[in-house]
Amino acid sequence: VGTENINTEIITLTRFLTEEQTKHKEATGDFTLLCHALQFAFKSIAYYIRRSTLINLTGLAGSSNTTGDDQKKLDVIGNDIFIAAMRSCARVRVLVSEEEEECIVFPAGPNARYAVVCDPIDGSSNLDAGVSVGTIFGVYLLGEDAAGTKEDLLKPGSELVASGFTMYGASAQLVITMRGGGVNGFTLDNALGEFILTHPEMRIPKTRAIYSVNEGNSLYWEEPVKEYVNSLKYPGEGGKPYSARYIGSMVADAYRTLLYGGIFAYPADKKSPKGKLRILYECAPMGLVFENAGGQAIDSNMKRMLDVVPEHIHDRSGIFMGSWDEVQKVVDIHKKHGY
Ligand code: P6P
């Protein structure tokens, strides 16, 4: 290879975080250290997922989590890795995990000023089929008066200081955004063991004729949702139907929607009146990513997702997120129905 083809200006996540920190004169470096612990957790989980079939980590762990789902071995390992990483950086005071009924409170050291929410292995029910799963995370800065209890986390996604997800597919893809910032995508180089900036300043296309929803639930959908989805499938004279793409793993459906555009929806319905996806560690973190990429994220009442306050740490919500114009179509149809 000619030397002119070698890119020597590689931006690793580590370098990116250092540069971000220097933009904020008041920065203490605590957030940077927290993000290093996050990236270590993603690298570790990626390692185990890559090898899971080889070292028999697929299949059931024989235990079940708080919501009664059969836990996969990797759910347990992913959760343990994440908790250990958050504890070891001594910058996290409160941690909420999809796998833990109660929030985890670490010793209140002077630098433990953050709360973290996470779904360590989201989509794990697809794991044995080799479908991409992911880790979804959000970071909140605790107030001076924080009690270090779960109440610290019953706040809207608009207060997130950072959020994102890592999708464990052919390679590990990390997407991260900070409040008021852009959305940046990194690809794990397994040889270097570094996340490399491969998708700087990601922007979601304003429109795209792709919809992503589990139509197996259409029997339970409310009228406006039925009318909306039918408008995509049966566009009327001369119209072209949308393409349907549904993986059933939120991180994978979200990543495709972010890259290609379109809409992802998991509406609240008659079967799941509060929706299925969790506010704290699925809907709100994704909401910040999609808004910062120029899209929209709303709940089933057409409320901005980032304004939704969870009633408890495992609270659920309906969600529509994606290209600005595609989500606006949902809003416009719901308005006709009085929302
Ligand atoms: P359904 C996976 O179990 C998950 O939590 C999300 O990752 C995914 O978007 C959704 O549930 C899929 O749910 O009901 O379509 O299988």
Side-chain angles (χ1 to χ4, degrees):
V1 173
T3 52
E4 68 284 358
N5 296 330
I6 294 176
N7 170 14
T8 53
E9 196 51 36
I10 290 178
I11 298 182
T12 62
L13 177 58
T14 301
R15 171 175 163 183
F16 177 85
L17 291 168
T18 305
E19 290 170 355
E20 279 299 303
Q21 180 181 329
T22 49
K23 290 178 189 170
H24 305 278
K25 294 293 166 271
E26 76 290 351
T28 61
D30 289 338
F31 178 73
T32 301
L33 283 175
L34 167 54
C35 288
H36 287 330
L38 283 171
Q39 76 166 313
F40 177 73
F42 303 145
K43 291 177 185 178
S44 305
I45 293 171
Y47 170 79
Y48 284 110
I49 286 185
R50 244 193 339 273
R51 293 176 46 75
S52 60
T53 315
L54 294 171
I55 49 178
N56 184 29
L57 274 179
T58 54
L60 298 183
S63 55
S64 69
N65 69 4
T66 55
T67 47
D69 300 336
D70 283 336
Q71 268 187 320
K72 302 276 182 187
K73 289 176 186 170
L74 267 169
D75 273 331
V76 177
I77 290 181
N79 189 44
D80 292 349
I81 286 171
F82 204 92
I83 293 170
M86 294 300 99
R87 177 187 295 112
S88 67
C89 71
R91 288 332 186 251
V92 179
R93 181 134 178 241
V94 185
L95 170 62
V96 166
S97 166
E98 197 252 0
E99 298 293 337
E100 301 283 339
E101 174 63 21
E102 292 303 325
C103 71
I104 295 172
V105 182
F106 297 122
N111 303 312
R113 302 185 298 123
Y114 291 95
V116 172
V117 294
C118 78
D119 187 349
I121 310 279
D122 182 80
S124 60
S125 54
N126 299 289
L127 204 66
D128 298 359
V131 171
S132 295
V133 297
T135 302
I136 308 172
F137 67 93
V139 181
Y140 288 97
L141 178 62
L142 290 174
E144 294 305 318
D145 58 344
T149 63
K150 58 186 166 188
E151 278 66 35
D152 293 334
L153 282 158
L154 303 184
K155 53 175 75 167
S158 55
E159 293 185 26
L160 280 162
V161 294
S163 78
F165 58 87
T166 298
M167 181 179 75
Y168 306 105
S171 56
Q173 302 285 349
L174 165 64
V175 170
I176 185 167
T177 190
M178 294 165 199
R179 189 191 314 158
V183 177
N184 288 285
F186 297 80
T187 303
L188 181 61
D189 178 326
N190 295 317
L192 276 178
E194 292 280 8
F195 278 103
I196 308 296
L197 180 64
T198 48
H199 299 72
E201 292 303 323
M202 298 175 82
R203 302 294 292 171
I204 184 169
K206 201 162 178 303
T207 65
R208 183 70 190 271
I210 299 174
Y211 74 105
S212 183
V213 67
N214 182 346
E215 298 211 46
N217 293 326
S218 52
L219 173 67
Y220 310 112
W221 288 346
E222 302 298 341
E223 277 317 304
V225 176
K226 286 181 183 171
E227 183 181 325
Y228 162 68
V229 174
N230 284 335
S231 74
L232 306 183
K233 295 166 72 172
Y234 312 103
E237 197 52 42
K240 187 174 178 303
Y242 275 39
S243 290
R245 293 284 184 276
Y246 192 70
I247 301 169
S249 174
M250 189 185 198
V251 171
D253 282 317
Y255 192 64
R256 183 206 54 251
T257 305
L258 193 57
L259 279 178
Y260 297 170
I263 187 165
F264 170 82
Y266 207 109
D269 59 26
K270 297 183 178 69
K271 181 176 71 166
S272 317
K274 291 212 73 177
K276 172 182 184 182
L277 301 178
R278 314 293 185 150
I279 297 170
L280 262 186
Y281 40 78
E282 289 176 310
C283 299
M286 287 294 185
L288 185 65
V289 168
F290 275 80
E291 282 204 4
N292 286 357
Q296 290 194 71
I298 58 175
D299 72 0
S300 279
N301 299 314
M302 303 298 107
K303 182 174 179 182
R304 180 187 180 224
M305 182 51 69
L306 293 185
D307 293 337
V308 174
V309 179
E311 290 166 12
H312 56 85
I313 57 175
H314 297 295
D315 201 1
R316 302 169 189 263
S317 171
I319 184 167
F320 298 85
M321 64 187 196
S323 297
W324 181 275
D325 289 1
E326 304 305 332
V327 176
Q328 198 55 40
K329 287 191 179 102
V330 180
V331 174
D332 295 344
I333 286 187
H334 277 73
K335 273 182 185 156
K336 275 177 23 186
H337 289 256
Y339 279 70

